[in-house]
Amino acid sequence: MERIGFIGLGAMGKPMARNLMKAGYTLNLLTRTRAKVEDLIAAGGAWRDTLKEIAQHNDIVITMLPDSPDVDLVVAGKDGILENARPGTLIVDMSTISPVTARKLARDAQARGCDFLDAPVSGGDIGAANATLTIMVGGTEAAFKRALPLFQKLGKTITHIGDSGAGQITKAANQIITSINIEAVAEALTFAAKAGVDPVKVRQALLGGAAYSRMLEFHGQRMLDRNFKPGFRMALHRKDLDIVLSAAKEYGAPVPVATKVREMMTAMVESGRGEMDNSSLVLLLEEMKAS
Amino acid sequence: MERIGFIGLGAMGKPMARNLMKAGYTLNLLTRTRAKVEDLIAAGGAWRDTLKEIAQHNDIVITMLPDSPDVDLVVAGKDGILENARPGTLIVDMSTISPVTARKLARDAQARGCDFLDAPVSGGDIGAANATLTIMVGGTEAAFKRALPLFQKLGKTITHIGDSGAGQITKAANQIITSINIEAVAEALTFAAKAGVDPVKVRQALLGGAAYSRMLEFHGQRMLDRNFKPGFRMALHRKDLDIVLSAAKEYGAPVPVATKVREMMTAMVESGRGEMDNSSLVLLLEEMKAS
């Protein structure tokens, strides 16, 4: 059994690490605040104080960190994983970061005789806890096959999309569609309510036809229930759209409506509602004047 | 069995009239060009030369016309249905028109002792031919119950949403969501392709998760196949968004992204692509510069 290092044990990383431990893996752990993972250490996880120790003690290193600069620093920075890893080490980054950064890190890894997979997930903390995450993977076929047994303990729908960066690009595409579809539902239900028609009945009628989306089903219901407890936080979805916009610029892809929805999410964050579920976008619409 | 008049026998109206005739109703027919419905007349449909004759010979009059002014003229105009109808006549407008017009026509009908239902459909010409339309109905419960046996010969999902206008408002909400969701799919797949990742694989991976929509499934596939034969024509979807925008203004509802997508559909129509399927919105995106 390969030895696994896990860096970044927050809301997503911690339940994922726990699922790997349940499956029999011995994990070497590192996260910003040791106190938050004493339960994992008590259950047999080995705490490591530095990235160097993680790199030296493991065959596969998983990272689950907030944003591109964090992953870049941990993987390619001074005293980081690549500086200390033995050749043949596989780094699996499961964070949602820029595909541009992911492709650079894959090249950095290759230059040190190591492998790198970008393997972002969707499904949120519930998916992480229940091991039902969707995992979108970019990198070589050999690296994918090597990581697959781990992925199967973490998620349900696991797809090898293509070469390095393909996982992050698929995740970015996912965030484009989900954010825009939330806005679509918010505009339609607000329109119905303002026009004096029960939005509950409108949503129900539309679920059976061409307007059906997961966002209409789940986030539409949240909007009707005024249930804005996350779920997936507005500030994080906005951060993912920041990634989309910078990658879109890099690759010359126009994303006019994603750009517009990012502006609206920014307005929500800047008005102090970044910690609400992303379905709370409907609140901004309710405050706006008619076009 | 109530006597049925049917006005407007185009791409949608004609197959709907045929389904009612198959179910045993004798129909009185009127449309702009008699030559186009000689087959229905040969099959037992009675041609009527004027709106007055339609009004006088029938208990229920169905209209299926291009736009709000057409329905207004036929129902409430000089020598139109209401001027000539006996009290108790039920007018069922199944066109997609402005909810503001629908509510006005319901009041006009009531003033003449008649009933009016707004009952727009979705499902396209295939749904019309196969009697699988989704029918969204606004008006009184009594009028809905009276028309229900007819609706059941025309569609599959039939919902009485609320009072007059509620059917058109639901249809407008449907058009808001479908148009925006098409744009979401177009942005995501174009982004993936420009970033060097196979959009076929990206769509396949996203179908299983939060990004799922009918538009991702069906219109996403059309985009990948470059199959822009309608389906539902761009020019008609643009017209429906014109209805959305004017109703949104009337009711004070902000629809910023629907407004943006309408601009894009207008650019498609003005560049001579109004007859293509609405999934061709992806072409406009491919021609745009990156944001």
Side-chain angles (χ1 to χ4, degrees), chain A residues 155-281:
Chain A
K156 215 170 51 174
T157 310
I158 300 149
T159 314
H160 183 210
I161 311 282
D163 296 338
S164 284
Q168 294 296 352
I169 285 158
T170 305
K171 177 68 189 279
N174 186 75
Q175 299 306 72
I176 291 171
I177 293 180
T178 52
S179 64
I180 296 177
N181 286 5
I182 289 169
E183 171 63 16
V185 173
E187 289 192 16
L189 297 184
T190 305
F191 170 83
K194 292 252 186 193
V197 178
D198 184 356
V200 171
K201 289 195 180 163
V202 170
R203 172 180 163 281
Q204 193 58 43
L206 298 190
L207 281 176
Y212 177 85
S213 67
R214 290 273 189 282
M215 294 299 103
L216 178 62
E217 183 172 0
F218 297 107
H219 287 57
Q221 189 60 54
R222 278 172 170 275
M223 291 176 202
L224 295 173
D225 294 342
R226 316 302 282 183
N227 168 20
F228 301 128
K229 184 170 166 287
F232 187 62
R233 287 188 289 126
M234 186 67 76
L236 281 178
H237 210 155
R238 200 277 298 260
K239 171 224 126 187
D240 290 354
L241 289 181
D242 290 344
I243 289 172
V244 165
L245 261 63
S246 71
K249 197 170 177 180
E250 176 82 13
Y251 300 125
V255 285
V257 170
T259 301
K260 178 91 187 158
V261 174
R262 181 189 160 280
E263 278 169 27
M264 298 175 72
M265 288 192 165
T266 299
M268 286 295 291
V269 172
E270 287 178 353
S271 59
R273 291 175 285 191
E275 301 306 303
M276 295 175 98
D277 187 68
N278 52 4
S279 58
S280 65
L281 201 55

Side-chain angles (χ1 to χ4, degrees), chain B residues 85-291:
Chain B
R86 282 165 296 105
T89 299
L90 170 60
I91 298 163
V92 182
D93 179 41
M94 304 190 75
S95 326
T96 294
I97 67 168
S98 163
V100 180
T101 305
R103 284 173 168 170
K104 182 213 140 237
L105 291 175
R107 290 191 302 271
D108 292 345
Q110 199 180 18
R112 310 282 302 204
C114 295
D115 258 324
F116 181 91
L117 288 175
D118 51 294
V121 304
S122 72
D125 50 358
I126 293 172
N130 298 339
T132 55
L133 293 168
T134 295
I135 308 177
M136 298 151 268
V137 190
T140 65
E141 182 69 25
F144 175 75
K145 281 192 176 151
R146 187 170 165 200
L148 188 56
L150 298 174
F151 291 151
Q152 287 166 337
K153 303 300 178 192
L154 298 171
K156 215 169 51 174
T157 310
I158 300 148
T159 314
H160 183 210
I161 311 283
D163 295 338
S164 284
Q168 295 296 353
I169 285 158
T170 305
K171 178 67 189 280
N174 186 74
Q175 300 306 72
I176 290 172
I177 293 180
T178 52
S179 64
I180 296 177
N181 285 6
I182 289 170
E183 172 63 15
V185 173
E187 289 193 15
L189 297 185
T190 304
F191 170 82
K194 293 253 188 193
V197 177
D198 184 356
V200 171
K201 289 193 179 166
V202 170
R203 173 180 163 279
Q204 193 58 44
L206 298 190
L207 281 175
Y212 177 85
S213 67
R214 291 274 189 283
M215 294 298 104
L216 178 63
E217 184 173 1
F218 296 107
H219 287 58
Q221 189 61 52
R222 281 172 167 275
M223 292 177 202
L224 296 173
D225 294 341
R226 317 302 282 181
N227 170 21
F228 301 128
K229 185 173 166 285
F232 187 61
R233 287 187 290 126
M234 186 67 77
L236 281 177
H237 210 154
R238 201 277 299 260
K239 172 222 125 188
D240 290 354
L241 288 182
D242 290 345
I243 289 171
V244 165
L245 260 63
S246 71
K249 196 170 177 180
E250 177 81 14
Y251 299 125
V255 285
V257 170
T259 301
K260 178 92 188 157
V261 173
R262 182 190 159 279
E263 279 169 27
M264 297 176 73
M265 290 192 164
T266 300
M268 285 296 289
V269 171
E270 287 179 353
S271 58
R273 291 174 285 191
E275 300 306 302
M276 296 175 96
D277 187 68
N278 52 5
S279 58
S280 64
L281 201 56
V282 73
L283 296 176
L284 193 74
L285 217 54
E286 290 169 0
E287 293 159 13
M288 282 174 71
K289 289 206 181 121
S291 323

Side-chain angles (χ1 to χ4, degrees), chain B residues 60-75:
Chain B
I60 298 181
V61 177
I62 298 173
T63 50
M64 192 63 177
L65 296 161
D67 206 348
S68 311
D70 310 296
V71 179
D72 192 42
L73 195 69
V74 160
V75 174

